[in-house]
Amino acid sequence: MKKVYKYLEEFKNEPHYLASVNAFLSGIKEENISEDKLLVLITPNHIIEFDVEWTDDLGKKHTEKGWRVQHSNKLGVYKGGIRFSNTVTLDILKALAFEQTLKNSLTGLPLGGAKGGSTFDPTHKSENEIKRFIKAFMEKLSPILGSNVDVPAGDLGVGQKEVTLMQKEYERVLNTKDITFTSKLINYGGSYLRSEATGYGLCYMVNEALKSRFGTTIKDKTLIVSGSGNVGLHAAFKARELGAKVIGVSDISGTIYDDQGIDLTFIKALKANRESFANYLVKHKHAKYSPYPKALWEIKADIVLPCATQDEINTEDIAKIVSNKPLLIAEGSNLGLTLKAVEYLVKKEILFIPGKAANSGGVAVSYFEMLQNKEGVSWSESEVDTRLKDVMKNVFRRINEYALKHNYPYDLKRAADIVALLTLLK
Ligand code: NDP
């Protein structure tokens, strides 16, 4: 693959994009795909880069970077979330847009792949500051969006409220009634279960994997979840509803271990009040708190769900996790495990479901939201839930069958990449 690697030399300063593409290329190297086709596949169609000027509550002006990476529209409109975080870089967005393209093709739905975001960090910003930032951001972003072109959603730091604000700003800037965002508030054209979809879908896939690989279910299994945001908390609640015992959770403020089962309602309240997890012990004296989010990886559990951010599990973390002999690890976060960590799991023969499959519930329900908006209807919660379960089962079936057929049962990442590739080349 000389031509491809020569092209990639240009991106020496983009380690996330390179790591993502290189891992993909090494997984599909036996497929004998032409270099020209591969070049098209790994190259984003468009990158839109802009500055966003906004004013804080004290009248001080700030400038942030903004981007939209439209990776591929081969299978349908560009689709992928918008992220606000001071960790956002073009490199990360390019990696995520590429991964999103693979993920969307795995769902079997007619969706292309994209990702966008800004270096703006909404933490500790007032509501008015966030509104002013979004207004300025959408002035720049709106012209390249559209329900038939590019349909963004939320992501890190961008929830339903912010998405709805962006949709309203899009309408104002372009003077249109076109609906181009998904993950909107329910009273503004959002779908039931959109916010829950990624976390719920993750648990549905874990259940499916446990059934088909180990003849068991999530019921009575112990479970740890990192990140107590949209994905992590919904996954924890759904896992508990399905009979699992959630014994560890984390956020930036640290880790809680509660062998009696985490009081998730209390955790939700702590998050809503922006309180540190240290305060969990006020009500639950028997539990243990560590100020280190990574302390989570030391807790022995049957199921491990990283749901916080990229690279949250490195080689050191994975060695600790593996020493506790979990049944499986499934990524709620995008690129949650470093590639070395994934390779280690494959070598140790521990089942790992990559995010591009395991967290595809969010984009699936986004697609359902697009359909409902186009038809001007609202599906019931149970209808969305049934369809979500079907997508998750189907995605797992596709990658599992491929991995088993080609004799690498523990390399579901490789199987996911190849199944996505073959779908994209059809
Ligand atoms: P949120 O912003 O809602 O939540 C992120 C959570 O992770 C927060 O609780 C945050 O802590 C915590 N966190 C951040 N960094 C760390 C860390 N290093 N260690 C422990 N906890 C940490 O984001 P989402 O839940 O929406 O997204 C999480 C991941 O899932 C991302 O990788 C995202 O790309 C991916 N994803 C999200 C989808 C969605 O539908 N939302 C769809 C598919 C993937 P604190 O609260 O203290 O800040």
Side-chain angles (χ1 to χ4, degrees), residues 193-214:
L193 291 191
R194 174 56 191 89
S195 1
E196 295 86 348
T198 308
Y200 283 16
L202 175 65
C203 291
Y204 295 152
M205 190 172 285
V206 165
N207 221 8
E208 196 55 33
L210 290 172
K211 272 190 218 163
S212 56
R213 282 299 186 89
F214 307 117

Side-chain angles (χ1 to χ4, degrees), residues 11 34 62 78 126 180 201 255 371 407 412:
F11 306 105
S34 83
H62 302 263
Y78 294 112
S126 73
T180 195
T255 298
L371 289 184
N407 258 335
L412 288 183

Side-chain angles (χ1 to χ4, degrees), residues 150-161:
D150 186 337
V151 182
D155 193 63
L156 276 182
V158 178
Q160 281 181 310
K161 224 164 96 186

